[in-house]
mmCIF file of all heavy atoms in Angstrom:
data_model
loop_
_atom_site.group_PDB
_atom_site.id
_atom_site.type_symbol
_atom_site.label_atom_id
_atom_site.label_comp_id
_atom_site.label_asym_id
_atom_site.label_seq_id
_atom_site.Cartn_x
_atom_site.Cartn_y
_atom_site.Cartn_z
ATOM 1 N N TRP A 1 186.284 69.139 -91.619
ATOM 2 C CA TRP A 1 185.134 69.049 -90.729
ATOM 3 C C TRP A 1 185.555 69.403 -89.301
ATOM 4 O O TRP A 1 184.867 70.136 -88.604
ATOM 5 C CB TRP A 1 184.529 67.650 -90.793
ATOM 6 C CG TRP A 1 183.264 67.509 -90.016
ATOM 7 C CD1 TRP A 1 181.992 67.748 -90.468
ATOM 8 C CD2 TRP A 1 183.133 67.101 -88.646
ATOM 9 N NE1 TRP A 1 181.086 67.508 -89.456
ATOM 10 C CE2 TRP A 1 181.761 67.110 -88.326
ATOM 11 C CE3 TRP A 1 184.033 66.720 -87.667
ATOM 12 C CZ2 TRP A 1 181.270 66.765 -87.070
ATOM 13 C CZ3 TRP A 1 183.559 66.377 -86.410
ATOM 14 C CH2 TRP A 1 182.185 66.405 -86.128
ATOM 15 N N MET A 2 186.706 68.886 -88.893
ATOM 16 C CA MET A 2 187.223 69.194 -87.555
ATOM 17 C C MET A 2 187.531 70.692 -87.435
ATOM 18 O O MET A 2 187.235 71.311 -86.417
ATOM 19 C CB MET A 2 188.480 68.371 -87.260
ATOM 20 C CG MET A 2 188.259 66.872 -87.217
ATOM 21 S SD MET A 2 187.269 66.311 -85.824
ATOM 22 C CE MET A 2 188.463 66.380 -84.501
ATOM 23 N N LEU A 3 188.078 71.280 -88.478
ATOM 24 C CA LEU A 3 188.363 72.711 -88.486
ATOM 25 C C LEU A 3 187.070 73.515 -88.362
ATOM 26 O O LEU A 3 187.017 74.522 -87.642
ATOM 27 C CB LEU A 3 189.113 73.084 -89.768
ATOM 28 C CG LEU A 3 189.600 74.519 -89.885
ATOM 29 C CD1 LEU A 3 190.523 74.887 -88.742
ATOM 30 C CD2 LEU A 3 190.286 74.713 -91.232
ATOM 31 N N GLU A 4 186.022 73.057 -89.008
ATOM 32 C CA GLU A 4 184.721 73.728 -88.901
ATOM 33 C C GLU A 4 184.217 73.685 -87.459
ATOM 34 O O GLU A 4 183.694 74.672 -86.937
ATOM 35 C CB GLU A 4 183.711 73.067 -89.841
ATOM 36 C CG GLU A 4 182.343 73.722 -89.811
ATOM 37 C CD GLU A 4 181.360 73.032 -90.741
ATOM 38 O OE1 GLU A 4 181.763 72.596 -91.841
ATOM 39 O OE2 GLU A 4 180.188 72.918 -90.346
ATOM 40 N N LYS A 5 184.369 72.540 -86.800
ATOM 41 C CA LYS A 5 183.944 72.428 -85.402
ATOM 42 C C LYS A 5 184.749 73.384 -84.517
ATOM 43 O O LYS A 5 184.209 74.004 -83.604
ATOM 44 C CB LYS A 5 184.066 70.988 -84.892
ATOM 45 C CG LYS A 5 183.055 70.065 -85.519
ATOM 46 C CD LYS A 5 181.658 70.537 -85.195
ATOM 47 C CE LYS A 5 180.605 69.837 -85.998
ATOM 48 N NZ LYS A 5 179.338 70.558 -86.009
ATOM 49 N N PHE A 6 186.043 73.527 -84.800
ATOM 50 C CA PHE A 6 186.865 74.492 -84.076
ATOM 51 C C PHE A 6 186.303 75.903 -84.253
ATOM 52 O O PHE A 6 186.181 76.660 -83.286
ATOM 53 C CB PHE A 6 188.320 74.423 -84.553
ATOM 54 C CG PHE A 6 189.176 75.537 -84.029
ATOM 55 C CD1 PHE A 6 189.616 75.524 -82.716
ATOM 56 C CD2 PHE A 6 189.535 76.590 -84.849
ATOM 57 C CE1 PHE A 6 190.411 76.557 -82.218
ATOM 58 C CE2 PHE A 6 190.324 77.628 -84.368
ATOM 59 C CZ PHE A 6 190.758 77.613 -83.054
ATOM 60 N N SER A 7 185.927 76.246 -85.481
ATOM 61 C CA SER A 7 185.391 77.588 -85.744
ATOM 62 C C SER A 7 184.057 77.822 -85.035
ATOM 63 O O SER A 7 183.666 78.965 -84.807
ATOM 64 C CB SER A 7 185.245 77.839 -87.254
ATOM 65 O OG SER A 7 184.162 77.108 -87.787
ATOM 66 N N GLU A 8 183.372 76.732 -84.670
ATOM 67 C CA GLU A 8 182.115 76.839 -83.927
ATOM 68 C C GLU A 8 182.361 76.940 -82.415
ATOM 69 O O GLU A 8 181.417 77.056 -81.644
ATOM 70 C CB GLU A 8 181.231 75.623 -84.213
ATOM 71 C CG GLU A 8 180.723 75.566 -85.646
ATOM 72 C CD GLU A 8 180.002 74.272 -85.965
ATOM 73 O OE1 GLU A 8 179.743 73.452 -85.048
ATOM 74 O OE2 GLU A 8 179.709 74.051 -87.154
ATOM 75 N N GLY A 9 183.621 76.851 -81.993
ATOM 76 C CA GLY A 9 183.953 77.022 -80.586
ATOM 77 C C GLY A 9 184.399 75.773 -79.864
ATOM 78 O O GLY A 9 184.732 75.833 -78.672
ATOM 79 N N TYR A 10 184.430 74.636 -80.526
ATOM 80 C CA TYR A 10 184.906 73.417 -79.879
ATOM 81 C C TYR A 10 186.406 73.546 -79.633
ATOM 82 O O TYR A 10 187.147 74.024 -80.491
ATOM 83 C CB TYR A 10 184.611 72.186 -80.737
ATOM 84 C CG TYR A 10 183.142 71.860 -80.787
ATOM 85 C CD1 TYR A 10 182.309 72.441 -81.747
ATOM 86 C CD2 TYR A 10 182.576 70.980 -79.881
ATOM 87 C CE1 TYR A 10 180.955 72.158 -81.781
ATOM 88 C CE2 TYR A 10 181.217 70.690 -79.906
ATOM 89 C CZ TYR A 10 180.414 71.285 -80.863
ATOM 90 O OH TYR A 10 179.079 71.008 -80.890
ATOM 91 N N ASN A 11 186.870 73.127 -78.446
ATOM 92 C CA ASN A 11 188.288 73.293 -78.124
ATOM 93 C C ASN A 11 188.909 72.077 -77.441
ATOM 94 O O ASN A 11 190.004 72.151 -76.919
ATOM 95 C CB ASN A 11 188.501 74.540 -77.264
ATOM 96 C CG ASN A 11 187.795 74.431 -75.931
ATOM 97 O OD1 ASN A 11 187.200 73.413 -75.607
ATOM 98 N ND2 ASN A 11 187.857 75.503 -75.160
ATOM 99 N N ASP A 12 188.208 70.955 -77.434
ATOM 100 C CA ASP A 12 188.728 69.710 -76.873
ATOM 101 C C ASP A 12 188.290 68.600 -77.829
ATOM 102 O O ASP A 12 187.122 68.211 -77.827
ATOM 103 C CB ASP A 12 188.173 69.495 -75.463
ATOM 104 C CG ASP A 12 188.838 68.325 -74.745
ATOM 105 O OD1 ASP A 12 189.640 67.601 -75.366
ATOM 106 O OD2 ASP A 12 188.531 68.137 -73.557
ATOM 107 N N MET A 13 189.195 68.125 -78.656
ATOM 108 C CA MET A 13 188.833 67.230 -79.750
ATOM 109 C C MET A 13 189.590 65.913 -79.668
ATOM 110 O O MET A 13 190.784 65.885 -79.375
ATOM 111 C CB MET A 13 189.111 67.907 -81.085
ATOM 112 C CG MET A 13 188.359 69.197 -81.266
ATOM 113 S SD MET A 13 188.815 69.977 -82.804
ATOM 114 C CE MET A 13 187.381 70.964 -83.097
ATOM 115 N N TYR A 14 188.861 64.849 -79.943
ATOM 116 C CA TYR A 14 189.431 63.498 -79.960
ATOM 117 C C TYR A 14 188.977 62.855 -81.257
ATOM 118 O O TYR A 14 187.777 62.796 -81.543
ATOM 119 C CB TYR A 14 188.925 62.726 -78.744
ATOM 120 C CG TYR A 14 189.433 61.312 -78.631
ATOM 121 C CD1 TYR A 14 190.788 61.026 -78.637
ATOM 122 C CD2 TYR A 14 188.549 60.254 -78.500
ATOM 123 C CE1 TYR A 14 191.253 59.734 -78.513
ATOM 124 C CE2 TYR A 14 189.006 58.948 -78.379
ATOM 125 C CZ TYR A 14 190.358 58.699 -78.385
ATOM 126 O OH TYR A 14 190.810 57.414 -78.273
ATOM 127 N N PHE A 15 189.916 62.393 -82.068
ATOM 128 C CA PHE A 15 189.606 61.833 -83.383
ATOM 129 C C PHE A 15 190.208 60.443 -83.494
ATOM 130 O O PHE A 15 191.395 60.246 -83.227
ATOM 131 C CB PHE A 15 190.180 62.736 -84.483
ATOM 132 C CG PHE A 15 189.923 62.229 -85.876
ATOM 133 C CD1 PHE A 15 188.712 62.451 -86.499
ATOM 134 C CD2 PHE A 15 190.899 61.527 -86.561
ATOM 135 C CE1 PHE A 15 188.466 61.983 -87.779
ATOM 136 C CE2 PHE A 15 190.673 61.053 -87.845
ATOM 137 C CZ PHE A 15 189.452 61.281 -88.452
ATOM 138 N N VAL A 16 189.386 59.481 -83.899
ATOM 139 C CA VAL A 16 189.834 58.104 -84.104
ATOM 140 C C VAL A 16 189.377 57.667 -85.484
ATOM 141 O O VAL A 16 188.234 57.912 -85.876
ATOM 142 C CB VAL A 16 189.230 57.154 -83.044
ATOM 143 C CG1 VAL A 16 189.663 55.725 -83.295
ATOM 144 C CG2 VAL A 16 189.597 57.604 -81.647
ATOM 145 N N ASP A 17 190.257 57.032 -86.221
ATOM 146 C CA ASP A 17 189.917 56.536 -87.556
ATOM 147 C C ASP A 17 190.762 55.304 -87.817
ATOM 148 O O ASP A 17 191.871 55.170 -87.275
ATOM 149 C CB ASP A 17 190.210 57.618 -88.604
ATOM 150 C CG ASP A 17 189.486 57.396 -89.912
ATOM 151 O OD1 ASP A 17 189.796 56.391 -90.595
ATOM 152 O OD2 ASP A 17 188.617 58.202 -90.268
ATOM 153 N N ASP A 18 190.256 54.405 -88.643
ATOM 154 C CA ASP A 18 191.045 53.212 -88.961
ATOM 155 C C ASP A 18 192.063 53.457 -90.068
ATOM 156 O O ASP A 18 192.990 52.687 -90.231
ATOM 157 C CB ASP A 18 190.140 52.024 -89.301
ATOM 158 C CG ASP A 18 189.252 52.265 -90.505
ATOM 159 O OD1 ASP A 18 189.064 53.436 -90.899
ATOM 160 O OD2 ASP A 18 188.724 51.281 -91.046
ATOM 161 N N ALA A 19 191.919 54.554 -90.807
ATOM 162 C CA ALA A 19 192.845 54.867 -91.900
ATOM 163 C C ALA A 19 193.932 55.821 -91.399
ATOM 164 O O ALA A 19 193.636 56.951 -90.976
ATOM 165 C CB ALA A 19 192.099 55.484 -93.070
ATOM 166 N N LEU A 20 195.154 55.377 -91.432
ATOM 167 C CA LEU A 20 196.267 56.168 -90.927
ATOM 168 C C LEU A 20 196.372 57.518 -91.644
ATOM 169 O O LEU A 20 196.673 58.536 -91.014
ATOM 170 C CB LEU A 20 197.584 55.392 -91.046
ATOM 171 C CG LEU A 20 198.816 56.068 -90.455
ATOM 172 C CD1 LEU A 20 198.612 56.386 -88.971
ATOM 173 C CD2 LEU A 20 200.044 55.198 -90.665
ATOM 174 N N GLY A 21 196.090 57.552 -92.936
ATOM 175 C CA GLY A 21 196.137 58.814 -93.679
ATOM 176 C C GLY A 21 195.160 59.842 -93.134
ATOM 177 O O GLY A 21 195.474 61.036 -93.067
ATOM 178 N N ASN A 22 193.983 59.384 -92.733
ATOM 179 C CA ASN A 22 192.990 60.294 -92.150
ATOM 180 C C ASN A 22 193.461 60.810 -90.799
ATOM 181 O O ASN A 22 193.298 61.984 -90.481
ATOM 182 C CB ASN A 22 191.640 59.599 -92.003
ATOM 183 C CG ASN A 22 191.003 59.273 -93.330
ATOM 184 O OD1 ASN A 22 191.395 59.774 -94.378
ATOM 185 N ND2 ASN A 22 190.014 58.408 -93.300
ATOM 186 N N VAL A 23 194.049 59.926 -90.002
ATOM 187 C CA VAL A 23 194.563 60.313 -88.688
ATOM 188 C C VAL A 23 195.654 61.374 -88.855
ATOM 189 O O VAL A 23 195.652 62.397 -88.157
ATOM 190 C CB VAL A 23 195.094 59.082 -87.921
ATOM 191 C CG1 VAL A 23 195.804 59.483 -86.644
ATOM 192 C CG2 VAL A 23 193.953 58.126 -87.618
ATOM 193 N N LYS A 24 196.564 61.153 -89.790
ATOM 194 C CA LYS A 24 197.652 62.116 -90.019
ATOM 195 C C LYS A 24 197.120 63.458 -90.502
ATOM 196 O O LYS A 24 197.587 64.517 -90.061
ATOM 197 C CB LYS A 24 198.659 61.544 -91.022
ATOM 198 C CG LYS A 24 199.501 60.424 -90.449
ATOM 199 C CD LYS A 24 200.485 59.899 -91.477
ATOM 200 C CE LYS A 24 201.376 58.828 -90.888
ATOM 201 N NZ LYS A 24 202.340 58.306 -91.873
ATOM 202 N N ALA A 25 196.147 63.445 -91.414
ATOM 203 C CA ALA A 25 195.592 64.695 -91.945
ATOM 204 C C ALA A 25 194.907 65.504 -90.846
ATOM 205 O O ALA A 25 195.084 66.722 -90.759
ATOM 206 C CB ALA A 25 194.616 64.399 -93.079
ATOM 207 N N VAL A 26 194.143 64.838 -90.012
ATOM 208 C CA VAL A 26 193.456 65.534 -88.918
ATOM 209 C C VAL A 26 194.474 66.041 -87.901
ATOM 210 O O VAL A 26 194.378 67.175 -87.425
ATOM 211 C CB VAL A 26 192.389 64.629 -88.269
ATOM 212 C CG1 VAL A 26 191.871 65.242 -86.978
ATOM 213 C CG2 VAL A 26 191.246 64.381 -89.236
ATOM 214 N N LYS A 27 195.484 65.242 -87.593
ATOM 215 C CA LYS A 27 196.512 65.671 -86.643
ATOM 216 C C LYS A 27 197.225 66.927 -87.131
ATOM 217 O O LYS A 27 197.473 67.849 -86.356
ATOM 218 C CB LYS A 27 197.520 64.553 -86.389
ATOM 219 C CG LYS A 27 198.588 64.949 -85.365
ATOM 220 C CD LYS A 27 199.432 63.779 -84.954
ATOM 221 C CE LYS A 27 200.535 64.110 -83.983
ATOM 222 N NZ LYS A 27 200.448 65.282 -83.180
ATOM 223 N N GLU A 28 197.534 66.981 -88.421
ATOM 224 C CA GLU A 28 198.207 68.164 -88.979
ATOM 225 C C GLU A 28 197.388 69.421 -88.747
ATOM 226 O O GLU A 28 197.928 70.469 -88.401
ATOM 227 C CB GLU A 28 198.462 67.979 -90.480
ATOM 228 C CG GLU A 28 199.643 67.112 -90.798
ATOM 229 C CD GLU A 28 199.898 67.015 -92.285
ATOM 230 O OE1 GLU A 28 199.509 67.941 -93.043
ATOM 231 O OE2 GLU A 28 200.488 66.005 -92.705
ATOM 232 N N VAL A 29 196.081 69.330 -88.954
ATOM 233 C CA VAL A 29 195.209 70.493 -88.758
ATOM 234 C C VAL A 29 195.099 70.841 -87.283
ATOM 235 O O VAL A 29 195.252 72.001 -86.887
ATOM 236 C CB VAL A 29 193.813 70.253 -89.384
ATOM 237 C CG1 VAL A 29 192.809 71.296 -88.939
ATOM 238 C CG2 VAL A 29 193.913 70.247 -90.899
ATOM 239 N N LEU A 30 194.840 69.846 -86.441
ATOM 240 C CA LEU A 30 194.653 70.116 -85.023
ATOM 241 C C LEU A 30 195.918 70.651 -84.362
ATOM 242 O O LEU A 30 195.842 71.461 -83.437
ATOM 243 C CB LEU A 30 194.153 68.860 -84.308
ATOM 244 C CG LEU A 30 192.754 68.388 -84.696
ATOM 245 C CD1 LEU A 30 192.394 67.114 -83.929
ATOM 246 C CD2 LEU A 30 191.709 69.467 -84.475
ATOM 247 N N ASP A 31 197.078 70.212 -84.837
ATOM 248 C CA ASP A 31 198.339 70.692 -84.273
ATOM 249 C C ASP A 31 198.537 72.194 -84.506
ATOM 250 O O ASP A 31 199.318 72.835 -83.808
ATOM 251 C CB ASP A 31 199.530 69.922 -84.853
ATOM 252 C CG ASP A 31 199.705 68.544 -84.233
ATOM 253 O OD1 ASP A 31 199.020 68.240 -83.221
ATOM 254 O OD2 ASP A 31 200.510 67.762 -84.779
ATOM 255 N N GLN A 32 197.845 72.755 -85.469
ATOM 256 C CA GLN A 32 197.974 74.179 -85.785
ATOM 257 C C GLN A 32 196.981 75.042 -85.008
ATOM 258 O O GLN A 32 197.042 76.266 -85.083
ATOM 259 C CB GLN A 32 197.771 74.397 -87.285
ATOM 260 C CG GLN A 32 198.815 73.704 -88.128
ATOM 261 C CD GLN A 32 198.553 73.856 -89.601
ATOM 262 O OE1 GLN A 32 198.193 74.916 -90.065
ATOM 263 N NE2 GLN A 32 198.720 72.775 -90.339
ATOM 264 N N LEU A 33 196.078 74.406 -84.274
ATOM 265 C CA LEU A 33 195.033 75.136 -83.568
ATOM 266 C C LEU A 33 195.317 75.174 -82.071
ATOM 267 O O LEU A 33 196.011 74.306 -81.546
ATOM 268 C CB LEU A 33 193.677 74.466 -83.813
ATOM 269 C CG LEU A 33 193.259 74.293 -85.276
ATOM 270 C CD1 LEU A 33 191.966 73.506 -85.346
ATOM 271 C CD2 LEU A 33 193.134 75.638 -85.964
ATOM 272 N N ASP A 34 194.757 76.146 -81.413
ATOM 273 C CA ASP A 34 194.887 76.259 -79.963
ATOM 274 C C ASP A 34 193.759 75.466 -79.309
ATOM 275 O O ASP A 34 192.784 76.036 -78.811
ATOM 276 C CB ASP A 34 194.826 77.735 -79.552
ATOM 277 C CG ASP A 34 195.077 77.930 -78.071
ATOM 278 O OD1 ASP A 34 195.681 77.036 -77.445
ATOM 279 O OD2 ASP A 34 194.645 78.970 -77.548
ATOM 280 N N VAL A 35 193.880 74.136 -79.380
ATOM 281 C CA VAL A 35 192.866 73.246 -78.818
ATOM 282 C C VAL A 35 193.561 72.086 -78.111
ATOM 283 O O VAL A 35 194.698 71.729 -78.422
ATOM 284 C CB VAL A 35 191.916 72.653 -79.893
ATOM 285 C CG1 VAL A 35 191.100 73.727 -80.562
ATOM 286 C CG2 VAL A 35 192.661 71.822 -80.916
ATOM 287 N N LYS A 36 192.840 71.514 -77.175
ATOM 288 C CA LYS A 36 193.277 70.254 -76.586
ATOM 289 C C LYS A 36 192.824 69.180 -77.567
ATOM 290 O O LYS A 36 191.657 69.155 -77.968
ATOM 291 C CB LYS A 36 192.615 70.059 -75.228
ATOM 292 C CG LYS A 36 192.996 68.779 -74.543
ATOM 293 C CD LYS A 36 192.295 68.647 -73.203
ATOM 294 C CE LYS A 36 192.620 67.306 -72.592
ATOM 295 N NZ LYS A 36 191.844 67.099 -71.349
ATOM 296 N N SER A 37 193.738 68.303 -77.980
ATOM 297 C CA SER A 37 193.341 67.299 -78.965
ATOM 298 C C SER A 37 194.165 66.033 -78.837
ATOM 299 O O SER A 37 195.286 66.052 -78.314
ATOM 300 C CB SER A 37 193.477 67.851 -80.383
ATOM 301 O OG SER A 37 194.841 68.116 -80.694
ATOM 302 N N LYS A 38 193.568 64.976 -79.310
ATOM 303 C CA LYS A 38 194.246 63.688 -79.380
ATOM 304 C C LYS A 38 193.713 62.983 -80.623
ATOM 305 O O LYS A 38 192.512 63.020 -80.908
ATOM 306 C CB LYS A 38 193.954 62.853 -78.140
ATOM 307 C CG LYS A 38 194.661 61.490 -78.177
ATOM 308 C CD LYS A 38 194.446 60.692 -76.915
ATOM 309 C CE LYS A 38 195.188 59.365 -77.042
ATOM 310 N NZ LYS A 38 195.015 58.547 -75.859
ATOM 311 N N VAL A 39 194.595 62.368 -81.362
ATOM 312 C CA VAL A 39 194.198 61.570 -82.512
ATOM 313 C C VAL A 39 194.846 60.202 -82.371
ATOM 314 O O VAL A 39 195.944 60.079 -81.812
ATOM 315 C CB VAL A 39 194.588 62.225 -83.867
ATOM 316 C CG1 VAL A 39 193.910 63.570 -84.043
ATOM 317 C CG2 VAL A 39 196.081 62.368 -84.000
#
């Protein structure tokens, strides 16, 4: 879903989740993109 938002032009992303696995999965994707991000 975050990758889809990137493809729509979003370039500053902040993701918070209570499940560590979700945080890690999103971080892996965002780390590969040219975006400002924090998880």
Side-chain angles (χ1 to χ4, degrees):
W1 186 89
M2 297 292 283
L3 185 58
E4 181 181 323
K5 290 299 169 198
F6 170 76
S7 73
E8 293 173 8
Y10 290 88
N11 63 4
D12 189 354
M13 301 176 156
Y14 180 55
F15 179 81
V16 178
D17 199 294
D18 61 342
L20 184 57
N22 293 345
V23 172
K24 288 180 177 180
V26 169
K27 182 171 178 22
E28 281 183 25
V29 167
L30 294 179
D31 282 350
Q32 297 176 42
L33 304 175
D34 185 21
V35 296
K36 180 180 176 186
S37 65
K38 180 176 180 180
V39 299

